Amino acid sequence: MILSTSMFTSLTPYILSALLLFLLLEQLSYLIKKRNLPGPLFVPPIIGNAVSLVRDPTSFWHKQSSTAGNSPGLSANYLVGRFILYIRDTDLSHQIFSNVRPDAFHLVGHPFGKKLFGDHNLIYMFGEDHKSVRRQLAPNFTPKALSTYTTLQQLVILRHLRRWEESSSGPISLRNLVRELNLETSQTVFVGPYLDKEARDSFRKDYNLFNLGSMALPVDLPRFAFGEARRAVRRLTETLAVCAGKSKARMSAAGEKEEKPTCLIDFWMQAIVDSGNPPPPHSSDEEIGGFLFDFLFAAQDASTSSLLWAVALLDSHREVLRRVREEVERIWSHDSNALITVEQLAEMKYTRSVAREVVRFRPPATMVPHVAAEDFALTSTYTVPKGTIVFPSVYDSSFQGFNEPDRFDPDRFSETRKEDVVFKRNFLAFGWGPHQCVGQRYALNHLVLFIAMVSSLLDFERVRSDGCDEIVYCPTISPKDGCTVVLSRRVAAYPNLSLN
């Protein structure tokens, strides 16, 4: 024991020297990569500014944006051993989105997404593999498929709107309610008949664990939120893989039984079955489970954000709300006990403009993380070092180029003004390039249907408080107060559509 203590005492100066050398090299590495970019001159050792990010992500990213400024349009920082760049400038963001390939940038979806999401994910694919899977996905978003989904979406929306109004006796926060609505919508549209009640309940618990972990420090140990989230993702993808197998078996026998696709996975498996033997690459149940989780992640959290902001913005822009109600009532009669048809949905041009402006004004996923696979010359004066995590800001691009971008103005998407055409490069809410969101028509349809129904069937009044409209990350953005409203029924009776 004496010898061990003596040895430790004699080694202490060397240990401390090695530690100090490591910390010095870490700072030098950061400063060399940063070069002349704006950003902190000193970063906390090892974890960098991760604590600030986890504690208050809104302030952290706002500061990054302010630091980047209009010129040079990017700023630097350091998170858990990784050098990061924040991209504010739209043209620089386009360079990132357009160069997703093995020797340039890899889309990761989350700063530590590879570890969190698992191996079988569409966001990590390139080249022919990526194109092959996207070709497989095409049947999922045909007019016929989207028509099937609109029926399912409306039934879920109507059921939840009625439940909200009937169970509320005062102000209620919509955040968790909308999350539940979207989770049920995703489950029903994606894999509806293949999840029983027990599986749905487990699904809900695991998805909540994933959400918590996505906002936590990346400590992959039991009882830490990140580690629990990673294990929850594995269980979710396994459940979705089972659903894929059941659908594949059903659609293989569909010719004999004349069964038609009833949800997204059916359209997908039908296309795979029809492709014959051997099946297309990346069509195993396990891989499809991972791809379906990508869809779930995109549809669930992004739509939750958009639906919340839609209510908040309609409440604060009553003239817009009035025009939505007039258009919807002219096209769809809620007392006809019929759902909105695809043709009627296409007629709701102003309501669709409102939906698009909601997405522009408050893009749900404000940033899309990528990692540099190699050194990349981003500008004439700055080369992104290999291993850098780059954050192109969709949010900042939404407030560049457009006329009066800080103003909520659905008419900018009208057929006369066409700002969506003139400033197309700035509308990045659904991404750009090879990984542009494949389900954007589905997502916009969902938002339009929700706006049409909540506006027509319910009166809602926001309970305003100091800072209620401030942005919080969870992990997509939502109003700070969770969009707290008082609800009341606006119609004599809800459509009678067997909602229970």
Side-chain angles (χ1 to χ4, degrees):
M1 184 68 181
I2 295 174
L3 181 62
S4 298
T5 303
S6 174
M7 287 180 63
F8 178 77
T9 302
S10 63
L11 290 174
T12 297
Y14 298 100
I15 295 172
L16 291 176
S17 297
L19 179 61
L20 289 172
L21 178 61
F22 169 78
L23 297 179
L24 176 62
L25 291 174
E26 182 184 47
Q27 294 296 319
L28 287 174
S29 173
Y30 164 73
L31 291 173
I32 290 170
K33 292 175 179 178
K34 175 180 174 294
R35 294 176 61 187
N36 59 343
L37 294 182
L41 293 176
F42 171 82
V43 291
I46 302 173
I47 64 170
N49 284 301
V51 173
S52 300
L53 171 60
V54 172
R55 182 183 297 149
D56 189 352
T58 305
S59 296
F60 179 88
W61 293 118
H62 178 73
K63 185 175 181 180
Q64 286 298 132
S65 177
S66 298
T67 303
N70 294 322
S71 179
L74 64 162
S75 60
N77 214 314
Y78 190 74
L79 296 174
V80 195
R82 301 296 294 269
F83 179 70
I84 73 164
L85 283 179
Y86 182 92
I87 311 291
R88 176 188 173 95
D89 179 79
T90 296
D91 289 335
L92 296 181
S93 291
H94 271 269
Q95 287 202 53
I96 309 298
F97 287 126
S98 300
N99 286 283
V100 176
R101 58 177 196 265
D103 62 342
F105 293 100
H106 297 184
L107 175 63
V108 292
H110 182 278
F112 305 97
K114 189 75 172 180
K115 181 174 284 189
L116 183 59
F117 295 145
D119 295 325
H120 301 306
N121 278 270
L122 186 62
I123 59 178
Y124 303 137
M125 301 183 80
F126 306 98
E128 285 305 314
D129 285 339
H130 179 245
K131 291 177 183 177
S132 172
V133 175
R134 285 183 73 100
R135 282 194 295 269
Q136 287 182 40
L137 299 178
N140 297 345
F141 302 105
T142 61
K144 180 181 178 181
L146 291 170
S147 176
T148 300
Y149 308 155
T150 58
T151 298
L152 300 174
Q153 288 166 291
Q154 289 177 78
L155 290 174
V156 175
I157 291 170
L158 286 169
R159 180 162 53 246
H160 281 261
L161 293 184
R162 187 176 74 175
R163 188 181 303 160
W164 297 353
E165 183 268 322
E166 290 177 348
S167 63
S168 68
S169 56
I172 57 170
S173 172
L174 292 183
R175 182 186 296 157
N176 290 333
L177 296 177
V178 169
R179 286 188 74 250
E180 288 295 313
L181 181 157
N182 277 323
L183 187 56
E184 184 179 342
T185 303
S186 298
Q187 290 174 332
T188 304
V189 170
F190 295 171
V191 292
Y194 306 109
L195 283 178
D196 58 24
K197 185 179 184 306
E198 182 180 353
R200 284 176 180 258
D201 290 341
S202 298
F203 208 98
R204 181 180 297 107
K205 292 175 184 175
D206 280 334
Y207 197 84
N208 285 337
L209 288 173
F210 163 74
N211 247 6
L212 292 172
S214 67
M215 299 293 292
L217 289 172
V219 181
D220 189 12
L221 293 172
R223 298 196 176 184
F224 282 83
F226 185 87
E228 293 300 319
R230 191 179 65 80
R231 282 175 279 281
V233 170
R234 185 172 64 243
R235 291 191 295 270
L236 288 167
T237 55
E238 288 171 354
T239 298
L240 292 169
V242 171
C243 293
K246 291 178 179 178
S247 174
K248 202 177 288 182
R250 177 174 174 267
M251 299 318 295
S252 294
E256 303 169 15
K257 300 180 182 178
E258 296 185 355
E259 293 184 3
K260 296 180 179 179
T262 60
C263 60
L264 182 147
I265 192 67
D266 281 350
F267 283 100
W268 192 347
M269 295 306 100
Q270 184 183 59
I272 288 176
V273 168
D274 290 347
S275 67
N277 241 342
H282 307 293
S283 59
S284 70
D285 295 349
E286 293 74 18
E287 288 174 296
I288 289 168
F291 300 150
L292 274 172
F293 181 75
D294 288 348
F295 284 8
L296 177 70
F297 176 53
Q300 169 67 17
D301 293 296
S303 287
T304 296
S305 172
S306 293
L307 268 57
L308 288 171
W309 285 112
V311 173
L313 291 165
L314 286 170
D315 174 81
S316 58
H317 296 81
R318 288 282 162 171
E319 176 61 18
V320 173
L321 176 59
R322 182 191 65 78
R323 290 176 64 184
V324 167
R325 284 173 169 165
E326 285 183 354
E327 178 179 73
V328 174
E329 288 168 9
R330 186 176 69 252
I331 296 169
W332 174 66
S333 176
H334 67 270
D335 57 7
S336 66
N337 292 329
L339 295 172
I340 298 171
T341 66
V342 173
E343 292 75 21
Q344 289 172 325
L345 188 63
E347 288 184 59
M348 296 180 183
K349 297 185 184 299
Y350 182 73
T351 307
R352 186 167 294 270
S353 292
V354 172
R356 299 190 72 186
E357 178 67 345
V358 168
V359 173
R360 182 203 70 85
F361 195 74
R362 289 292 181 265
T366 59
M367 293 161 292
V368 187
H370 294 67
V371 63
E374 302 289 344
D375 291 353
F376 185 88
L378 187 63
T379 72
S380 60
T381 59
Y382 187 78
T383 296
V384 179
K386 177 181 178 179
T388 301
I389 300 179
V390 182
F391 293 86
S393 175
V394 171
Y395 186 90
D396 282 324
S397 290
S398 294
F399 291 88
Q400 297 170 25
F402 291 97
N403 295 319
E404 298 183 86
D406 293 321
R407 183 166 166 257
F408 182 75
D409 180 15
D411 283 321
R412 72 175 72 251
F413 292 110
S414 67
E415 293 182 354
T416 54
R417 288 173 56 181
K418 295 184 178 180
E419 289 192 30
D420 55 327
V421 177
V422 178
F423 304 112
K424 183 178 180 179
R425 286 178 63 82
N426 299 90
F427 191 75
L428 296 175
F430 294 107
W432 192 272
H435 282 265
Q436 189 172 36
C437 177
V438 69
Q440 58 183 287
R441 284 187 295 171
Y442 165 80
L444 276 173
N445 281 353
H446 186 55
L447 183 53
V448 174
L449 289 168
F450 176 81
I451 290 173
M453 290 181 169
V454 74
S455 300
S456 300
L457 302 177
L458 296 179
D459 275 317
F460 46 89
E461 185 173 349
R462 189 89 178 274
V463 180
R464 305 199 68 83
S465 58
D466 290 342
C468 65
D469 284 324
E470 291 178 11
I471 291 172
V472 295
Y473 288 75
C474 52
T476 50
I477 60 172
S478 73
K480 187 177 182 180
D481 70 337
C483 194
T484 300
V485 296
V486 174
L487 297 174
S488 59
R489 191 189 303 181
R490 189 170 176 266
V491 296
Y494 293 105
N496 183 17
L497 293 165
S498 301
L499 303 180
N500 291 319

